[in-house]
C-alpha cells in the first residue's frame, strides 16, 4: 500500500500533457491558456477622462477661475482641437482628453452659465485622467499555463485577442461496473440500485474542464468489461468505477491486465478509497476507482481532478488545502489517511456525521473534507486542521 502523495506522483507521471487548440474567446473561460499571448494594443489607447466634467489646464484651475467652453468630448467622440488658456472642453467619462488639457474638473465643482463656467469648489485635486497604457501596454504578455478566469477573459478581450490558444479538453471515459446497477430513470430490479457514481463524477470532472463520455455499464463478467473498455478507445483517460476490490466479482484489474494494462499501483493508504488502482492501458492512462459512492467521489477530488489539471498543462499539485479551526472534537485516526466528510462554516469546520463510504446523503450535506494524516491523534475543538473545499 502506498501513500496518497506517492499515488499522486504516479498519476502525475501517467498524465501526458495534451495538445493545444485555438478557440474563440467566448469559449476560453475555465480553459488553460496553452501559449503566452501578447496584447495587440495599449489600454487605454489615449489619456481618457475618468469623470464627467470639464477638461482644462491644471495651472489655471483655481477657485472662482472662469473658462470659456469651446467644445465637447464624449466616449467615442474625441474633440480634435487644442485647449488654449482660459478655455475648457465639456468632457464625459471615457472620452479622450483633448490636447492642451491636463485636468478634468468634475461637473459637481462647476457652475455653468451659457458658454462660461466657474470653478466653485477646489477640494478635488485629482487630475481625473487615466493615462494611456494605465491598464496595459501593447505587447504585455499573459503567460501560460494559466487557468482562465472570467477576469482573464475580460482582459484578453480588452487586449483584442479574439482567438485563444488553450489546452485540449481531456476526454474522460467513465465506466461503471456491476450487475446490480441501472441508470437513473430506469426501474431497478429488487436486487439492483441506481448507478450514482458515474453521474456525480461526470459533474465533478466536467466542472474542472473534462469532456466526459459516460459509457454503458459494464457487467461483472470478462466479456462485458472487455467490450466496454474497448469502447474507451480514443479517450485521454479511462476511469472505471467499482470492481476494484478482491471479491470474486471484482474483475477490473484482471481484465485490464489481460488487455495489456501496465499497472503503476494498486491500493492507497487512505479512507475512503483504499482499493484505488492506476496504470496505462494500450498507451492511455487508466484509473480504477473504488465502487462505494463516497469513495469514488473523494478519489475523484483527491486524484482524478489533480491529474486532469496536470494533463491540461497546469503544474502538478494536490487538491488545494486550507487550514480551518475544529468546532467539534475528533477521535484518533488509524493508520490510513482519512478524508472526512465535513461541514465548513466560515473559519470553522466539523465532521458531517457518519463516515461510512456508502452515504451519499452525508456527502451531499458536506462542503469540505477534513484531512487526517495517518496516526493523527485525537483532536479537540480549537485545533487547526487541513481542509479541502468541495
Ligand atoms: P465494488 O467496488 O464493485 O465492490 O462496489 C462497492 C459498492 O459500491 C457496492 O455496494 C456497489 O453496489 C457500489 N457501487 C459500485 N459502483 C457503483 C456506482 N456506479 N454507483 C453506485 N454504487 C456503486
Ligand atoms: Mg461491483
Amino acid at each position: 500500500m502506498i501513500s496518497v502523495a506517492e499515488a499522486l506522483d504516479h498519476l502525475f507521471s501517467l498524465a501526458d500533457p495534451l495538445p493545444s487548440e485555438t478557440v474563440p474567446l467566448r469559449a476560453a473561460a475555465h480553459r488553460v491558456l496553452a501559449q503566452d499571448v501578447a496584447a495587440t494594443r495599449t489600454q487605454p489607447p489615449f489619456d481618457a477622462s475618468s469623470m464627467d466634467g470639464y477638461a482644462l489646464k491644471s495651472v489655471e484651475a483655481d477657485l472662482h477661475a472662469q473658462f470659456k467652453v469651446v467644445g465637447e468630448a464624449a466616449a467615442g467622440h474625441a474633440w480634435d482641437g487644442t485647449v488654449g488658456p482660459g478655455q475648457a472642453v465639456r468632457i464625459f467619462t471615457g472620452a479622450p482628453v483633448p490636447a492642451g488639457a491636463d485636468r478634468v474638473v468634475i461637473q459637481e465643482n462647476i457652475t455653468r452659465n451659457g458658454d462660461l463656467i466657474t470653478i466653485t469648489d477646489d477640494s478635488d485635486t485629482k487630475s481625473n485622467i487615466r493615462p494611456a497604457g494605465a491598464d496595459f501596454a501593447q505587447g504585455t504578455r499573459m503567460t501560460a499555463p494559466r487557468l482562465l478566469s472570467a477576469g482573464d477573459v475580460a482582459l484578453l478581450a480588452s487586449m483584442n485577442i479574439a482567438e485563444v490558444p488553450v489546452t485540449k479538453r481531456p476526454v474522460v471515459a467513465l465506466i461503471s461496473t456491476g450487475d446490480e446497477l441501472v441508470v437513473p430513470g430506469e426501474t431497478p430490479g429488487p436486487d439492483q440500485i441506481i448507478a450514482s457514481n458515474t453521474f456525480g463524477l461526470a459533474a465533478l470532472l466536467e466542472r474542472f474542464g473534462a469532456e466526459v463520455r459516460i459509457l454503458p455499464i459494464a457487467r461483472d463478467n470478462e466479456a462485458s468489461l472487455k467490450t466496454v473498455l474497448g469502447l474507451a478507445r480514443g479517450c485521454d483517460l479511462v476511469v472505471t468505477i467499482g470492481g476494484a476490490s478482491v471479491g470474486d466479482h471484482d474483475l477490473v484489474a484482471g481484465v485490464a491486465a489481460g488487455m495489456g494494462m501496465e499497472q503503476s499501483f494498486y491500493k492507497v493508504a487512505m479512507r475512503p478509497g483504499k482499493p484505488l488502482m492506476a496504470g496505462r492501458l494500450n498507451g492511455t492512462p487508466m484509473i480504477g476507482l473504488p465502487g462505494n459512492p463516497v469513495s469514488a467521489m473523494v478519489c475523484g477530488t483527491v486524484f482524478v481532478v489533480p491529474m486532469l489539471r496536470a494533463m491540461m498543462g497546469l503544474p502538478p499539485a494536490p487538491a488545494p488545502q486550507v487550514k480551518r479551526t475544529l468546532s467539534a472534537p475528533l477521535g484518533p485516526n488509524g493508520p490510513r489517511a482519512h478524508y472526512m466528510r465535513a461541514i465548513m462554516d466560515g473559519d470553522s469546520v466539523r465532521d458531517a456525521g457518519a463516515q461510512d463510504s456508502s452515504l451519499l446523503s452525508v456527502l451531499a450535506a458536506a462542503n469540505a473534507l477534513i484531512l487526517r494524516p495517518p496516526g493523527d491523534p485525537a483532536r479537540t475543538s480549537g485545533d487547526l486542521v487541513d481542509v479541502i473545499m468541495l
Side-chain angles (χ1 to χ4, degrees):
M1 214 151 32
I2 60 173
S3 70
V4 170
E6 288 167 320
L8 265 176
D9 281 345
H10 281 294
L11 292 173
F12 291 144
S13 62
L14 290 170
D16 308 322
L18 292 162
S20 65
E21 61 184 354
T22 301
V23 296
L25 178 63
R26 197 63 188 82
H30 316 305
R31 304 287 298 269
V32 176
L33 187 69
Q35 290 149 29
D36 292 4
V37 289
T40 64
R41 52 186 281 116
T42 293
Q43 176 61 25
F46 41 76
D47 292 349
S49 180
S50 65
M51 298 297 272
D52 295 333
Y54 292 84
L56 41 78
K57 294 180 184 298
S58 63
V59 289
E60 299 181 332
D62 299 323
L63 189 62
H64 308 312
Q66 293 198 319
F67 302 83
K68 182 166 191 235
V69 179
V70 294
E72 180 175 306
H77 301 277
W79 185 73
D80 285 337
T82 300
V83 177
Q87 295 184 336
V89 164
R90 177 71 168 125
I91 195 163
F92 299 96
T93 305
V97 175
D102 59 353
R103 170 89 175 270
V104 171
V105 178
I106 60 174
Q107 61 192 28
E108 292 83 346
N109 292 351
I110 293 275
T111 54
R112 179 165 180 168
N113 194 347
D115 280 351
L116 267 192
I117 60 166
T118 307
I119 296 180
T120 50
D121 184 337
D122 65 353
S123 55
D124 172 37
T125 55
K126 298 190 295 296
S127 76
N128 298 311
I129 293 172
R130 299 181 180 128
D135 199 359
F136 54 81
Q138 184 173 358
T140 300
R141 299 180 90 73
M142 183 183 284
T143 53
R146 181 184 180 94
L147 185 60
L148 294 172
S149 66
D152 291 334
V153 170
L155 179 56
L156 288 167
S158 190
M159 291 174 161
N160 203 12
I161 294 168
E163 303 279 326
V164 188
V166 294
T167 315
K168 208 175 139 276
R169 233 181 244 288
V171 178
V172 179
L174 271 187
I175 303 173
S176 275
T177 70
D179 287 345
E180 75 281 28
L181 302 175
V182 300
V183 295
E186 280 183 15
T187 308
D191 51 1
Q192 289 191 302
I193 60 167
I194 314 295
S196 55
N197 298 345
T198 349
F199 295 86
L201 278 164
L204 175 72
L205 305 185
E206 278 166 355
R207 189 177 126 211
F208 286 95
E211 183 185 316
V212 174
R213 294 189 192 154
I214 296 184
L215 297 188
I217 294 169
R219 300 305 169 188
D220 286 325
N221 64 71
E222 202 175 317
S224 174
L225 201 48
K226 259 189 171 160
T227 304
V228 182
L229 280 171
L231 295 176
R233 206 153 290 146
C235 292
D236 301 307
L237 175 66
V238 179
V239 177
T240 62
I241 304 160
S245 305
V246 290
D248 292 350
H249 304 282
D250 294 325
L251 305 172
V252 172
V255 170
M259 293 172 76
M261 186 186 75
E262 304 149 42
Q263 190 170 291
S264 52
F265 66 86
Y266 173 51
K267 286 192 183 166
V268 180
M270 70 184 291
R271 262 193 312 157
K274 180 171 115 181
L276 186 82
M277 174 188 74
R280 206 178 269 283
L281 179 60
N282 302 322
T284 306
M286 170 177 169
I287 304 183
L289 298 181
N292 272 312
V294 176
S295 312
M297 294 297 288
V298 168
C299 288
T301 299
V302 174
F303 296 112
V304 187
V305 170
M307 184 173 178
L308 286 177
R309 290 169 62 91
M311 292 169 76
M312 291 189 287
L314 294 170
Q321 294 170 20
V322 292
K323 296 263 183 215
R324 288 290 181 272
T325 308
L326 275 181
S327 58
L330 295 173
N333 189 30
R336 288 188 270 149
H338 194 184
Y339 291 78
M340 302 182 78
R341 277 65 76 202
I343 292 171
M344 200 169 73
D345 186 7
D347 280 344
S348 67
V349 70
R350 64 191 152 83
D351 73 270
Q355 296 291 320
D356 185 282
S357 63
S358 67
L359 303 177
L360 280 178
S361 52
V362 177
L363 179 73
N367 60 3
L369 298 171
I370 297 175
L371 222 148
R372 312 282 311 275
D376 193 35
R379 297 282 170 189
T380 57
S381 294
D383 282 357
L384 279 181
V385 288
D386 289 317
V387 166
I388 295 174
M389 286 188 242
L390 292 179

